Amino acid sequence: SRMGTASQGGEVRPMTSTTGSGFSSKPGTSMGRPVGFDPLGQGRGPAPPLAERADNSPEDQAREYEKQVHALVEASATAAFKGDHDLALEKAKDAGKRERALCKHREANGLVD
């Protein structure tokens, strides 16, 4: 009797399903592709770094001003926590000035919410 998948009598079918699924008995390749299954392409290494944006749009400048103001407020809070109230007041005043400049920048460029 021939080797097949139906072994309980009746019609004997040949074992062909493994070749249709891309199985290969040769290690190293499967239907012309490398064996390592990597559908997301993670085996190629890290992606190249993102390119910096060359233009400084008003929105980008406003974001930078916001970051500066936030950093000054954080520095003021840290100084107040450590007990250096003079430095905390100085940082808070500087943050206030820069925040007013940010508001003027937004109004001048039509970025008011």
Side-chain angles (χ1 to χ4, degrees):
S1 132
R2 290 186 345 189
M3 181 78 153
T5 57
S7 61
Q8 297 181 1
E11 182 182 324
V12 177
R13 297 176 296 176
M15 292 180 56
T16 58
S17 64
T18 56
T19 56
S21 65
F23 175 78
S24 173
S25 60
K26 297 178 187 175
T29 61
S30 174
M31 292 186 68
R33 293 186 301 254
V35 167
F37 180 72
D38 190 15
L40 301 178
Q42 295 175 341
R44 295 181 291 182
L50 297 175
E52 291 290 325
R53 289 174 44 172
D55 62 307
N56 282 337
S57 66
E59 293 91 0
D60 292 337
Q61 290 175 344
R63 274 191 223 101
E64 287 300 318
Y65 292 150
E66 286 174 359
K67 287 178 185 178
Q68 292 172 0
V69 170
H70 184 71
L72 285 168
V73 170
E74 288 286 327
S76 174
T78 302
F81 179 75
K82 291 181 179 179
D84 192 356
H85 299 292
D86 293 332
L87 180 63
L89 180 61
E90 180 184 327
K91 296 283 184 181
K93 285 182 179 179
D94 195 17
K97 289 177 188 174
R98 291 187 188 220
E99 215 269 327
R100 283 190 292 278
L102 171 62
C103 288
K104 288 181 183 177
H105 173 77
R106 284 182 175 158
E107 288 175 3
N109 291 296
L111 301 173
V112 181
D113 291 337

